[in-house]
Amino acid sequence: LLSKARKVSSQAASFIAQAEEQLGLAEARDPACAVMLQARGDLAHMRGDHARMATEMQRAVANSRGTRDEKLAQRMGLANALGEGGDLPGEETQLRAVLRVAPGHIHARFALGNLLSNSGRGDDAISEFMMALQLPNDDPPLEEPMVDQLRSHARSSLCNTLGCGSQQAAATGNHARA
């Protein structure tokens, strides 16, 4: 099993090296190409280099001339990079920018709900989780397995947030009495 894991790891490293070589060629032709910058950000993410991922995704967003959905994907990538790098206000700014353009973006709703919940803003998170559960899958349409997974997580997160809120209210005596 360990031998197989080493072989897979070696193959992955080889694929990443090949991808970097190809991206180097693309960058030589067009250093501002948003798709290339997004791919560089994705490679940095694979390596766990969140600072580099954020830098590349910021450049991709700034240079994007793609479709609306491509721009949304780049902004979601930037939000992810900022959040993983610990810049929660930056992540929130990017998620809200996505939602200004695509209010029905289920993934952005779920991600914002998580961010708000984890930041102690459970009341604000509840509405985001509810929207992630109830909005139609059309802004932009996502693959059904992804939507099912996001909604399952949103349901769990909503229950946890409601439960935590109830527990906090009970602990502080700030709950309604019958």
Side-chain angles (χ1 to χ4, degrees):
L1 189 59
L2 186 57
S3 175
K4 284 184 181 181
R6 285 185 181 136
K7 182 177 180 181
V8 168
S9 179
S10 174
Q11 289 173 337
S14 174
F15 290 139
I16 289 173
Q18 289 173 12
E20 284 184 337
E21 182 180 326
Q22 293 300 312
L23 288 171
L25 295 172
E27 188 171 22
R29 288 185 170 180
D30 184 1
C33 175
V35 174
M36 180 272 304
L37 293 167
Q38 185 175 359
R40 283 208 180 275
D42 290 341
L43 282 175
H45 184 251
M46 288 178 205
R47 288 201 172 97
D49 186 349
H50 305 300
R52 175 78 188 265
M53 179 185 178
T55 298
E56 297 297 350
M57 297 309 282
Q58 285 170 333
R59 291 178 62 207
V61 167
N63 290 297
S64 184
R65 296 181 301 274
T67 67
R68 173 185 178 268
D69 290 352
E70 289 169 343
K71 290 176 182 179
L72 291 172
Q74 289 159 350
R75 223 171 254 287
M76 286 296 293
L78 176 55
N80 183 45
L82 293 170
E84 288 186 13
D87 181 358
L88 301 183
E91 178 184 18
E92 183 174 350
T93 297
Q94 293 307 313
L95 291 171
R96 291 191 186 280
V98 167
L99 292 170
R100 275 193 301 280
V101 174
H105 197 293
I106 294 170
H107 191 184
R109 290 282 174 199
F110 171 69
L112 182 58
N114 267 343
L115 176 98
L116 294 169
S117 181
N118 293 334
S119 299
R121 296 182 281 171
D123 288 345
D124 296 328
I126 290 168
S127 63
E128 298 301 333
F129 292 138
M130 292 295 293
M131 284 189 269
L133 288 168
Q134 296 174 351
L135 288 168
N137 178 28
D138 63 2
D139 192 21
L142 304 172
E143 298 289 329
E144 282 304 317
M146 182 176 184
V147 172
D148 292 344
Q149 185 177 27
L150 284 169
R151 288 192 170 148
S152 175
H153 290 303
R155 193 173 300 107
S156 276
S157 297
L158 177 62
C159 290
N160 289 337
T161 301
L162 289 170
C164 290
S166 299
Q167 291 168 6
Q168 288 172 351
T172 61
N174 292 332
H175 60 285
R177 296 196 170 125

